Amino acid sequence: YQNAVDALRYDDVEFYYVDFSKMILKTITYTRWRDVSYKVYLACNENEENYLDESITKDDINIQIEELEKKADEILQGAQGSNYQKIQYIHNWLIDNIKYDVTYSKPNTRNIYGALISEDVVCEGYARTLKYLLDGLEIENVLVSGTATNSNNSTESHAWNYVKLNDKWYAIDVTWDDPIIKGGGVLSDKLRYQYFLKGADNFLKNHNENGYLSQNSMKFEFPKLDNKDYNK
């Protein structure tokens, strides 16, 4: 059950409003002579009325979903051309419109609503939103988590994406392609594309996958990256 929940959280990022910790699996056993059968179903934990995140009410959900779908449609309309051009457009839109939440505490800082509506998230919000928009374009991609070591030699938990292009897999780290520039200034192309469609030889030097998506989960396998960076 936990493995299924983990996979759902990574594959279907649009369920940002669900608090999976409120959800449990119940089993009823029926025994008749030597025959045994089971009924398995989802239920809320005791003292919980629903599966919703505490920050969201029932009335909020439909309003938020409508906001998200409208915003996503507007963004996706601008993604034209080849799959490479579409991926590049979404990547650049996120960099140009989202700010990194340096407080780590703002509402929805780790999900697609915080990215597309509030436009203020941490790495998980960047990565989940890239997945959400590329899913809308039917471009195969996965959300990846693990650790990453930055230029200051500091290692921390991190999230990024793998994207399939021309039958090969490449890495994108939108968060690190949107660095905070001290004193302001224009983001150069060198910085903007430093972690865009990278192969294993370069990307995995400072990114380390962790297939254990929760405590005591099975080890999930991520797609194997092509060794070399994408060359258009």
Side-chain angles (χ1 to χ4, degrees), residues 22 52 64-65 78 82 84 90 105 150 207 212-213 222 227:
K22 292 183 177 182
L52 299 180
Q64 289 191 4
I65 290 175
S82 65
Y84 171 83
I90 299 301
S105 60
N150 61 28
H207 289 70
Y212 297 101
L213 305 186
F222 297 109
N227 288 331

Side-chain angles (χ1 to χ4, degrees), residues 107-121:
N108 300 301
T109 193
R110 299 180 182 277
N111 63 46
I112 61 174
Y113 190 84
L116 295 183
I117 306 303
S118 304
E119 298 183 349
D120 204 349
V121 289

Side-chain angles (χ1 to χ4, degrees), residues 2-4 6-7 145 208-222:
Q2 185 60 53
N3 295 336
D6 291 338
S145 63
N208 183 39
E209 306 166 357
N210 183 359
Y212 297 101
L213 305 186
S214 67
Q215 188 175 8
N216 300 321
S217 80
M218 66 175 281
K219 185 175 182 179
F220 288 84
E221 293 186 5
F222 297 109

Side-chain angles (χ1 to χ4, degrees), residues 129-195:
T129 308
L130 180 64
K131 175 163 179 52
Y132 177 66
L133 294 173
L134 292 184
D135 284 349
L137 294 170
E138 298 184 349
I139 294 175
E140 193 171 353
N141 71 101
V142 297
L143 178 68
V144 185
S145 63
T147 58
T149 304
N150 61 28
S151 56
N152 295 323
N153 206 32
S154 176
T155 300
E156 57 189 17
S157 297
H158 196 46
W160 59 91
N161 303 81
Y162 290 163
V163 180
K164 193 174 186 180
L165 186 58
N166 297 339
D167 295 322
K168 294 181 180 180
W169 287 91
Y170 301 94
I172 298 178
D173 187 340
V174 186
T175 309
W176 280 16
D177 277 346
D178 189 19
I180 298 173
I181 302 176
K182 293 182 179 180
V186 179
L187 184 64
S188 68
D189 281 352
K190 182 179 180 180
L191 291 176
R192 179 183 289 257
Y193 297 114
Q194 192 171 1
Y195 297 96

